[in-house]
């Protein structure tokens, strides 16, 4: 292999010369230096190797946010393993699918989930180790006993670094395979595009099982050798307390909606801040305007997805326009196209199709699905409906995929409809997203009962509770005699969205 494309090699090359620089500052004031992160991830990588994780093996991880979880991610990179993070909200039923599909060599979970997940891991011959948010569990115990190691397994650019599952419109999740080069190229571009500089300090309050918190925020900060003010989860008060010492914040729109609810947010509080980034869901113009008015900062909105990391961004130096997601990032090419992949005239809506070094390698063990979503010329069909202005500026104006985005989490209606339809007393159902002041959209179910049981809203919610992650559960359930359909028999979800649009108003 000519040159090592392991992402860790790149990140490590950018660690600060003074390795005692703080990498993570925890909420309780504990400081973890870059030297610590390097030493701990080396030890953990050595441990992974010694327990039989070989390059290419999947390491499936469902643990709360902690410095050890970051160390585990970096250790997987170093060991050449494929990191497979899962939302902590997923139930055992949901995790079972991922374990069976990914066939990991190692499963790492919170000790409280061990009893449920152990038989699932055993069924695919995977080892199971535990890690809790306080840094306890069998994994850290073994790691602390492991010898120091500077292991970094050389990787080719095209080797897998991670698999991130993204739900499908069929209700079946697909594992997006991301290579070392996908992640490295996107991180380098964002680092430059957003003007990262010496002295930057990031408030990290996103979960680290999705692209936004795990890759966009973590990678850019590590590439910059920056200190991260590390929060286990979003907490407006904790962010307010840290803003005076920070320069960069990244969040989903809900972060900004909630920060605006705090009267302490003002210009003086953010005097040291350089950049507020929003993404993962549409940022409402009213939020953008209110934030500008209150703080003097124009939130920089960018657009991306699991399969491609970041795709477009409003400019750092130029004008940031509310309701637009800016321009293709350097290296990313794309077009707004009709159903056949032909570019539509500027200003007209079409599906966004892209290509570039950021675009994933395909869906894990789903060659047909992969083929369906790529054009013959290599463009990936995002499923997002966009317009492109004359100057190339892009706006996301809709979705061709049936998807709800709630607080930055994607929810695919089909998955929930299948579960609701299986509840005794249900004839059929439709799940839609309707406007929600806090989450942007809220999952809402419309159910047609078959009359055989006295099913009510609480009954539907209770039936789903054990099976579905909380954020996917309908916040409201409505009952109707029939679903609106067009002449082809297709459920008219737009009509349902309109009918229930005011459900969460005010
Ligand atoms: C929590 N709940 C949610 C929810 N998050 N319900 C719907 N949607 C969500 N996103 C549930 C809780 O279980 C709880 O249920 C109730 O709603 C209220 O919880 P909360 O305490 O108010 O929520 P909180 O824990 O504060 O979480 C809200 C949040 C969080 C917005 C801070 O969801 C979050 O961090 N979201 C970020 C998601 C993210 O990182 N997305 C990036 C994906 S990457 P109950 O009934 O118990 O009260 C991607 C690509 C890209 O999309 O472009 O970046
Ligand atoms: P995920 O599959 O979780 O990575 O979510 C990606 C999806 O989130 C995209 O396909 C878009 O539909 C949506 N998304 C991300 N960023 C934005 C944004 N800034 N504006 C609108 N939608 C966005």
């Amino acid at each position: 292999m000519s040159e090592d494309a392991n992402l860790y090699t790149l990140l490590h090359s950018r660690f600060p010369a003074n390795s005692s620089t703080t990498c993570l500052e925890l909420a309780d004031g504990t400081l973890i230096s870059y030297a610590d992160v390097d030493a701990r991830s080396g030890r953990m990588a050595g441990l992974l190797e010694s327990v039989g994780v070989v390059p290419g093996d999947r390491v499936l991880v469902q643990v709360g946010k902690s410095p050890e979880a970051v160390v585990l991610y970096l250790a997987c990179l170093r060991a050449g393993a494929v990191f497979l993070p899962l939302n902590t909200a997923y139930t055992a039923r949901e995790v079972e699918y991922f374990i069976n599909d990914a066939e990991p060599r190692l499963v790492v979970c919170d000790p409280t989930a061990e009893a449920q997940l152990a038989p699932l891991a055993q069924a695919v011959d995977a080892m199971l180790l535990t890690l809790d948010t306080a840094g306890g569990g069998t994994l850290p115990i073994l790691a602390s006993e492991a010898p120091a190691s500077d292991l970094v397994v050389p990787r080719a650019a095209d080797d897998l670094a991670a698999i991130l599952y993204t739900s499908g419109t069929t209700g079946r999740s697909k594992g997006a395979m991301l290579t070392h080069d996908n992640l490295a190229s996107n991180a380098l571009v964002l680092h430059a595009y957003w003007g990262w500089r010496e002295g930057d300090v990031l408030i990290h309050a996103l979960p680290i099982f999705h692209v936004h918190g795990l890759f966009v925020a973590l990678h850019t900060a590590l590439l910059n050798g920056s200190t991260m003010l590390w929060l286990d989860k979003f907490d407006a008060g904790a962010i307010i307390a840290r803003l005076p010492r920070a320069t960069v914040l990244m969040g989903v729109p809900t972060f900004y909606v909630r920060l605006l609810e705090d009267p302490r947010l003002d210009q003086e509080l953010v005097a040291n801040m350089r950049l507020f980034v929003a993404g993962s869901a549409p940022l409402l113009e009213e939020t953008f305007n209110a934030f500008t008015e209150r703080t003097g900062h124009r939130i920089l909105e960018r657009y991306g997805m699991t399969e491609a990391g970041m795709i477009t961004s409003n400019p750092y130096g130029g004008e940031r326009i509310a309701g637009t997601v800016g321009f293709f990032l350097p290296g990313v090419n794309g077009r707004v196209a009709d159903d056949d992949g032909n570019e539509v005239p500027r200003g007209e809506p079409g599906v966004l199709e892209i290509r570039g070094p950021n675009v994933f390698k395909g869906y894990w063990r789903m060659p047909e699905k992969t083929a369906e979503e790529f054009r013959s010329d290599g463009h990936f069909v995002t499923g997002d409906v966009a317009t492109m202005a004359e100057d190339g500026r892009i706006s996301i104006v809709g979705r061709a995929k049936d998807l709800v985005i709630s607080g930055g989490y994607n929810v695919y209606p089909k998955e929930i409809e299948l579960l609701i339809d299986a509840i005794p007393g249900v004839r059929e159902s439709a799940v839609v997203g309707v406007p929600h002041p806090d989450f942007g959209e809220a999952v809402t179910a419309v159910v047609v009962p078959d009359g055989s049981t006295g099913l009510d809203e609480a009954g539907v919610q209770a039936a789903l509770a054990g099976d579905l992650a909380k954020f996917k559960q309908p916040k409201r359930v409505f009952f109707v005699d029939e679903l609106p359909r067009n002449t082809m028999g297709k459920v008219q979800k737009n009509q349902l969205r309109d009918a229930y649009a005011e459900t969460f108003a005010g």
Side-chain angles (χ1 to χ4, degrees):
M1 200 171 307
S2 51
E3 204 177 316
D4 176 21
N6 191 313
L7 172 63
Y8 188 79
T9 304
L10 169 68
L11 297 173
H12 184 253
S13 73
R14 304 289 199 95
F15 283 6
N18 176 359
S19 66
S20 64
T21 303
T22 299
C23 178
L24 303 172
E25 178 183 317
L26 309 189
D28 67 1
T30 304
L31 304 180
I32 300 176
S33 69
Y34 272 89
D36 283 342
V37 167
D38 187 46
R40 288 200 214 178
S41 62
R43 206 179 280 277
M44 182 113 45
L47 170 69
L48 292 176
E49 191 180 58
S50 73
V51 299
V53 173
V54 301
D57 277 349
R58 277 77 58 211
V59 175
L60 182 144
V61 178
Q62 189 190 33
V63 299
K65 189 174 174 183
S66 71
E68 288 303 320
V70 175
V71 164
L72 175 58
Y73 166 54
L74 297 175
C76 286
L77 292 176
R78 295 179 69 155
V82 181
F83 188 69
L84 198 165
L86 292 181
N87 194 322
T88 46
Y90 291 154
T91 62
R93 183 197 69 86
E94 291 165 300
V95 175
E96 180 173 15
Y97 170 83
F98 300 118
I99 291 182
N100 289 334
D101 191 57
E103 296 188 314
R105 182 90 199 91
L106 170 66
V107 171
V108 182
C109 68
D110 191 89
T112 56
E114 184 177 6
Q116 274 189 305
L117 298 191
L120 305 179
Q122 208 173 15
V124 297
D125 253 344
M127 284 172 290
L128 185 138
L129 294 171
T130 59
L131 172 63
D132 67 27
T133 48
T138 52
L139 177 71
I141 290 172
L142 288 174
S144 68
E145 293 162 356
S149 167
D150 56 7
L151 179 74
V152 182
V153 175
R155 296 279 77 194
D158 203 31
D159 283 333
L160 295 194
I163 294 178
L164 266 65
Y165 276 86
T166 155
S167 303
T169 40
T170 56
R172 210 173 143 219
S173 287
K174 303 164 288 184
M177 299 188 287
L178 298 160
T179 66
H180 283 264
D181 189 53
N182 288 153
L183 303 183
S185 62
N186 212 228
L188 287 167
V189 162
L190 294 174
H191 181 264
Y193 204 75
W194 292 343
W196 278 83
R197 59 187 67 162
E198 203 177 336
D200 268 336
V201 174
L202 172 80
I203 299 179
H204 195 304
L206 286 157
I208 52 168
F209 39 69
H210 284 312
V211 164
H212 200 163
L214 181 64
F215 299 150
V216 182
L218 189 66
H219 289 169
T220 49
L222 291 177
L223 272 183
N224 204 57
S226 274
T227 296
M228 287 174 260
L229 307 180
W230 193 252
L231 296 172
D232 295 344
K233 62 180 292 241
F234 175 85
D235 173 347
I239 290 185
I240 298 271
R242 285 160 181 75
L243 280 170
R245 288 198 296 131
T247 64
V248 183
L249 174 71
M250 297 188 194
V252 296
T254 302
F255 280 26
Y256 295 103
V257 170
R258 291 187 183 181
L259 283 172
L260 279 163
E261 282 164 8
D262 195 308
R264 289 172 294 178
L265 181 78
D266 62 15
Q267 297 221 3
E268 201 186 331
L269 187 79
V270 302
N272 196 47
M273 285 293 292
R274 179 174 76 73
L275 179 61
F276 291 93
V277 178
S280 309
L283 179 72
L284 294 182
E285 203 166 335
E286 67 192 62
T287 310
F288 178 94
N289 289 338
F291 202 85
T292 305
E293 201 169 300
R294 187 91 74 82
T295 66
H297 278 272
R298 296 171 76 80
I299 298 172
L300 183 152
E301 185 173 7
R302 92 303 180 279
Y303 153 81
M305 64 192 300
T306 301
E307 289 92 334
M310 295 303 100
I311 299 165
T312 73
S313 172
N314 270 277
Y316 180 69
E319 208 185 344
R320 302 175 196 166
I321 302 181
T324 82
V325 292
F327 302 94
F328 285 124
L329 286 164
V332 180
N333 294 299
R335 60 191 172 215
V336 174
D338 63 18
D339 291 346
D340 300 319
N342 300 312
E343 190 158 359
V344 300
R346 294 284 163 118
E348 284 187 18
V351 173
L352 193 64
E353 304 187 351
I354 54 158
R355 57 186 301 173
N358 54 322
V359 176
F360 73 136
K361 197 172 173 173
Y363 295 112
W364 172 254
R365 290 181 180 162
M366 287 188 182
E368 296 87 14
K369 265 267 154 234
T370 304
E372 270 170 33
E373 301 198 19
F374 280 89
R375 297 281 178 202
S376 52
D377 67 359
H379 278 72
F380 170 64
V381 182
T382 64
D384 289 307
V385 179
T387 59
M388 191 191 289
E390 285 300 336
D391 63 358
R393 196 181 277 271
I394 290 165
S395 304
I396 304 296
V397 296
R399 293 173 204 143
K401 49 195 174 191
D402 189 15
L403 164 69
V404 180
I405 305 183
S406 170
Y409 287 140
N410 287 9
V411 180
Y412 280 85
K414 192 72 192 172
E415 181 187 2
I416 300 156
E417 289 161 3
L418 289 172
L419 287 171
I420 295 178
D421 292 351
I423 299 173
V426 172
R427 173 167 299 141
E428 61 173 346
S429 64
V431 167
V432 292
V434 304
H436 187 282
D438 185 34
F439 292 126
E441 291 179 326
V443 176
T444 303
V446 185
V447 173
V448 181
D450 67 11
S452 65
T453 62
L455 196 63
D456 61 7
E457 177 166 24
V460 172
Q461 280 164 332
L464 297 174
D467 283 339
L468 265 188
K470 190 104 200 184
F471 69 89
K472 296 183 194 169
Q473 292 173 25
K475 301 261 184 234
R476 287 300 311 271
V477 180
F478 295 100
F479 292 89
V480 295
D481 291 337
E482 58 183 325
L483 296 173
R485 292 182 186 278
N486 66 12
T487 47
M488 310 289 287
K490 191 171 181 301
V491 176
Q492 297 299 88
K493 291 203 166 179
N494 275 336
Q495 286 190 24
L496 293 176
R497 279 187 281 266
D498 290 346
Y500 297 100
E502 298 299 317
T503 305
F504 302 96

